[in-house]
Amino acid sequence: MTKIGLEIHCQLTKLESKLFCSCKANYREFEPNHNICPVCMGLPGSLPRLNQKAVKSATSIAMALNCQTPEKIAFFRKNYFYPDLPKNFQITQLNVYGDMSVGGEGYVEVEGKKIKIRRIQLEEDPGRLIYEGASDRTKITLVDYNRAGTPLVEIVTDPDFENPRQVRVFLNILSDLLENLGVAEPGLEGAMRADGNVSIEGGNKVEIKNIGSFHDLEKALHFELTRQQSLSERDIEIAMETRHWDDRRKITISSRSKEEDQDYRYFLENDIPWVKIEQDTRDALKENMPESISSKKERYVKKFDIAPQVAEIIASDRYYSKLFEGAYSEHNAKDIANLITTDVIGFIDTKEKQQTSKITPKHLSDLIDAINAKTITRNSAKVALQEIMKSGKDTKTILKEMDLGQVSDSSEINAIISQIFEDEKQAVIDAKERPETVNFLVGKVMQKTKGKADPTKTLELIKSKLNQ
Ligand SMILES: [Zn+2]
């Protein structure tokens, strides 16, 4: 039987500062080695100070993943040498002598199957190595410590996945969940990374590291399964090892025999006292947790009769659900939902565009009102949305500027009606005899005004002219 487990690292990008110092958590905007201080560089005599908000964020992740959360947590030193780790140890957590990381024994439901979460721990990200040229042939490696000390949450699953596809579904669910919690931005480069471990019946466990994206993880898992099956068929032992994913050649390569926990010489980080997370704090965190994606979806379907697929799209994306929540009212929820999933999604399809878009919930409700009043067509709404996205001007102004708004001036409509009564004499006679054929004349007015005439007013005016 195939067994796949994951170790996911997720940066808490919504925090202001690093895990143990006041350097910025958002290292991405700095020149290399310009977001560092004696603490995150591990200089002698410097002392770490724990970012309490990071503990809260990590605890709420643990809660959202149905984990047990302990009353107090401790930090450990994981000792190893690597150029991206200036202290020669990483401050992390470990579950020994009972529960001491921020969470454990949770689960996530994936297509009806419970994937167990073994533990969640809070730790610091190391710096980054930058290779000049291909990593296996480079003569020069640069180090950028800006990232060192960034708050990171490690999520470890049991080997409960049966195939790479299940892994992909799980990671999608997890990244939506983390984003919904408002603690992370999984879409940011390097903000969410995953390593996998794979074993097949009778074989040893192999870890795969260095995977750049979820898409690559799936490819790497497929490659590794095929490699192990081929070894097993030839009766060759599958060695317990760590393999690196070579993105260029799309294969895994053996990198080192796997270290055991004891190789890291874990010991308690005595510079950080045990942290107590009072029951009150945990209750408050639970209470203030944003509504989960699944309960949001259920609410949209039940309360507004929105199609489950539409509800799913909106509920699982923070940006769309914020637009929806701000825009809907009792009478237009379904229309707002459809406008988001057919038109808005069409051109705001990346996180970057979501960030720069100037569309507000009010724009959407105004547009729906205009559509429902039949003063603009769906197509005009789409054209208007694209302009709103860029300029953010209010809906009325946009409709006017782009000449998309309705024609509601009675004298203007009457002038057109007179013209049509001249051109369509037979239709006028028909309408006088059979009132139900009046729609033909309304249609003609619409045609002439390119759909911009107020339909209610047009009908009214035609009827009164017919009775004259
Ligand atoms: Zn620092």
Side-chain angles (χ1 to χ4, degrees), residues 18 21-23 35-41 148:
K18 289 186 179 179
C21 62
S22 57
C23 294
N35 182 41
I36 52 175
C37 72
V39 175
C40 52
M41 293 303 289

Side-chain angles (χ1 to χ4, degrees), residues 161-226:
F161 300 97
E162 289 154 18
N163 55 58
R165 197 193 62 82
Q166 240 172 29
V167 168
R168 178 169 37 109
V169 177
F170 167 83
L171 288 172
N172 286 339
I173 294 174
L174 182 66
S175 57
D176 286 345
L177 181 146
L178 292 170
E179 200 177 10
N180 185 55
L181 274 180
V183 296
E185 296 152 283
L188 274 182
E189 185 270 325
M192 197 167 165
R193 303 155 345 229
D195 298 332
N197 55 71
V198 185
S199 67
I200 59 169
E201 186 90 57
N204 281 313
K205 187 168 86 172
V206 174
E207 283 202 48
I208 322 170
K209 289 197 179 288
N210 194 34
I211 303 165
S213 69
F214 292 169
H215 184 65
D216 279 354
L217 174 64
E218 204 181 347
K219 275 195 271 183
L221 292 173
H222 272 298
F223 175 86
E224 189 52 29
L225 279 174
T226 314

Side-chain angles (χ1 to χ4, degrees), residues 38 42-46:
L43 299 190
S46 65

Side-chain angles (χ1 to χ4, degrees), residues 108-115 160-162 166:
V108 174
E109 224 168 90
V110 178
E111 296 173 333
K113 184 185 160 107
K114 271 187 183 169
I115 302 293
D160 287 344
F161 300 97
E162 289 154 18
Q166 240 172 29

